[in-house]
């Protein structure tokens, strides 16, 4: 069944091709076709057989093993042959026996017309070549070649260079391979150097601990100060002391001990730091372009009290880097003969809460022994600096500066006014009640709430009126509680009368809470 289906497809294709390409083969009749078959040794899917009727049976012929005859009801049929050049010789052996030849395509019997159609199809697809085309002399090919101009195909000399896409992909692959190899090599080198550095640091620490400990406990401050250069150079091995990494480890060890030690030990470490010439390394750090090196240098200046480098420190008080800027400010506050706040006045960057806390801690520590010019910061163009100055007045209890603060009341921003009211409230500045009353009328909820709380301690009769006006408005619970608390502090009778005339549930509940000693601070 499958074979018949293939044959049907073949004949349909043959019909289509023969219809569109009629006359592809130069066969005028069936004799020409047979003659062509005799010249073909092998045609794909083509075979032929010989046929002898039984009436002409010749026992000698039919017994010939070269034909392998098969007997049917009416005739004898030979085996299949493919070589067309044997047709004449085979047929000559069968003369006088009424033999005839049968053609088969895909093992299905066909006639001359069907065979010709099949050959035309094969010819059109290039699967069949005429015998005369096979036997053309080479001179014809040479003549054909001579009729065309020679054009060398250089693009195919090197396929890699001729195919741009292939070249691009190859280059990309090579690039990634090179990059990967470079990264691996870099990582191996980096890891090796890091491991070597860590090993050196451990060895240097072992070399440093012994001599440094002996020096601190065996010699006093005067003896260290009077040591000769020769004695100083013999404390540590000269071969190691020449190495920069050794000096860095030594500096870290000295600074670490300085943070833990007290009294004369700190002075010994600072003196030894200078005698060992480590100040030069600190100067180099301050001049470095890397911010972490600069930060290390500032820490060294601050811990070792290197006041001779104060000018270098000042150059970093307005640095773009937050850490460098913060360390420079802290160092300047620690080492200046007077607490110089001018660097804050001209600072372009806002002060963070952490910076303000750190600076205030230093100022509290050194402020008692050094002059502190806070009013200079009131004129700063930086709002955060002005707020910090107001906070310092409050934290340091500088009542003498209330008059200076009064001068900036009206020009202050709302955030500064909040700090001003907190300061007036903390210092008990009753003379600023008018400012507080004006702030209670502000539309800023934070400023209004702070002013209401301060009015309870610093307010006057006009403050009571403002508080009651606020309570008559639609306000939130926290502001209402603050107003009632302040009104109660100012005038208990006015408070009682207001709650009685405005018997809102919130007012009654808050009154009970305010007058309850256990809940008054809740």
């Amino acid at each position: 069944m499958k074979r018949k289906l293939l044959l049907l497809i073949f004949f349909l294709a043959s019909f289509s091709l023969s219809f569109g390409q009629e006359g592809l083969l130069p066969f005028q009749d069936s004799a020409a076709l047979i003659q062509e078959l005799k010249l073909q040794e092998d045609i794909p899917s083509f075979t032929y057989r010989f046929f002898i009727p039984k009436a002409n049976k010749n026992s000698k012929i039919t017994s010939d093993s070269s034909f392998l005859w098969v007997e049917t009801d009416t005739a004898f049929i030979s085996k299949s042959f493919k070589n067309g050049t044997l047709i004449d010789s085979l047929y000559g052996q069968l003369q006088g026996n009424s033999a005839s030849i049968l053609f088969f395509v895909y093992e299905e019997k066909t006639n001359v017309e069907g065979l010709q159609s099949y050959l035309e199809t094969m010819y059109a697809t290039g699967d069949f070549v005429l015998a005369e085309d096979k036997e053309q002399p080479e001179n014809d090919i040479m003549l054909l070649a001579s009729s065309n101009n020679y054009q060398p195909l250089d693009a195919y000399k090197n396929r890699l260079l001729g195919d741009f896409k292939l070249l691009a992909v190859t280059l990309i692959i090579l690039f990634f391979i090179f990059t990967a190899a470079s990264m691996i090599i870099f990582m191996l080198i980096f890891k090796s150097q890091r491991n070597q550095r860590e090993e050196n640091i451990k060895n240097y620490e072992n070399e440093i601990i012994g001599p440094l400990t002996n020096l601190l406990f065996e010699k006093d401050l005067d003896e260290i100060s009077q040591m000769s250069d020769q004695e100083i150079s013999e404390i540590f091995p000269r071969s190691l002391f020449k190495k920069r990494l050794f000096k860095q480890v030594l500096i870290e060890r000295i600074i670490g001990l300085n943070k833990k030690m007290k009294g004369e030990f700190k002075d010994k470490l600072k003196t030894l730091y200078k005698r060992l010439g480590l100040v030069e390394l600190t100067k180099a750090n301050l001049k470095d372009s890397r911010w972490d090196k600069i930060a290390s240098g500032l820490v060294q200046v601050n811990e070792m009290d290197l006041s001779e480098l104060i000018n270098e420190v000042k150059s970093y008080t307005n640095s773009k880097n937050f850490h460098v800027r913060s360390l420079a400010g802290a160092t300047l506050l620690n080492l200046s003969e007077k607490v110089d706040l001018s660097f804050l006045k001209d600072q372009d960057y806002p002060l963070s809460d952490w910076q303000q806390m750190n600076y205030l801690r230093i100022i509290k520590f050194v402020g008692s022994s050094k002059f502190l010019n806070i009013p200079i910061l009131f004129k700063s163009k930086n709002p955060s600096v002005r707020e910090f100055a107001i906070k310092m007045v409050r934290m340091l209890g500088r009542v003498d500066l209330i008059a200076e603060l009064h001068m900036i009341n009206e020009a202050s921003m709302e955030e500064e006014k909040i700090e001003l009211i907190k300061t007036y409230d903390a210092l008990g500045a009753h003379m600023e009640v008018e400012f507080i009353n004006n702030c209670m009328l502000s539309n800023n909820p934070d400023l209004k709430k702070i002013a209401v709380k301060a009015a309870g301690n610093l307010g006057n009769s006009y403050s009571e009126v403002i508080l009651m006006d606020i309570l008559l408005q639609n306000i939130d619970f926290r502001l209402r509680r603050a107003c009632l608390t302040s009104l109660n502090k100012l005038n208990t009778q006015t408070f009682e009368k207001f709650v009685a005339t405005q018997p809102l549930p919130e007012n009654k509940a808050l009154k009970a809470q305010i007058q309850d000693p256990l809940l008054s601070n809740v």
Side-chain angles (χ1 to χ4, degrees), residues 349-489:
Y349 303 93
L351 286 177
S352 68
D353 292 340
W354 182 86
Q355 284 178 310
Q356 294 182 32
M357 180 187 67
N358 189 37
Y359 292 164
L360 184 60
R361 179 185 59 82
I362 298 171
I363 290 170
K364 279 186 175 182
F365 179 74
V366 301
S368 59
S369 59
K370 297 182 180 180
F371 174 73
L372 186 63
N373 187 12
I374 296 177
I376 193 176
L377 301 181
F378 297 156
K379 300 177 182 179
S380 174
K381 295 181 180 180
N382 191 329
S384 64
V385 172
R386 296 196 298 268
E387 289 180 33
F388 177 58
I390 298 169
K391 289 178 183 178
M392 280 197 293
V393 174
R394 181 171 72 251
M395 297 295 182
L396 299 176
R398 295 291 298 272
V399 181
D400 58 307
L401 295 179
I402 291 178
E404 297 280 352
L405 292 178
H406 176 76
M407 297 176 63
I408 64 172
N409 280 348
E410 300 303 325
S412 300
M413 300 173 64
E414 292 185 342
E415 290 78 6
E416 297 169 42
K417 289 180 179 179
I418 291 174
E419 296 300 329
L420 283 169
I421 292 174
K422 288 181 180 179
T423 302
Y424 293 148
D425 191 14
L427 299 180
H430 290 274
M431 70 289 292
E432 299 298 331
V433 64
E434 183 179 353
F435 174 70
I436 294 172
N437 290 339
N438 291 334
C439 290
M440 282 196 292
L441 300 174
S442 172
N443 293 325
N444 186 308
D446 296 328
L447 178 58
K448 182 191 287 286
K449 186 176 179 181
I450 291 295
V452 165
K453 288 183 178 181
N457 298 321
L458 307 176
N460 54 19
S461 58
Y462 183 57
S463 302
E464 297 176 21
V465 176
I466 296 175
L467 289 171
M468 287 186 289
D469 288 341
I470 295 173
L471 287 167
L472 293 175
Q473 300 172 13
N474 184 17
I475 56 177
D476 62 82
F477 174 79
R478 294 181 181 276
L479 182 57
R480 181 175 294 278
R481 183 176 62 182
C483 289
L484 288 173
T485 303
S486 295
L487 186 60
N488 182 53
K489 288 180 179 180

Side-chain angles (χ1 to χ4, degrees), residues 138-157:
E138 293 185 1
N139 292 339
D140 293 343
I141 298 176
M142 299 300 295
L143 290 175
L144 182 62
S146 64
S147 64
N148 295 309
N149 295 327
Y150 172 71
Q151 293 181 350
L153 298 178
D154 293 335
Y156 292 95
K157 274 187 174 182

Side-chain angles (χ1 to χ4, degrees), residues 2 48 56 64 79 140 149 162 173 175 219 239 241 280 301 309 317 374 407 420 453 471 487:
K2 183 176 179 181
Y48 62 90
N56 298 324
D64 190 347
K79 69 176 184 177
D140 293 343
N149 295 327
I173 294 173
F175 170 76
K219 294 183 180 294
S239 58
F241 197 76
E280 297 300 321
V301 172
L309 301 179
T317 55
I374 296 177
M407 297 176 63
L420 283 169
K453 288 183 178 181
L471 287 167
L487 186 60

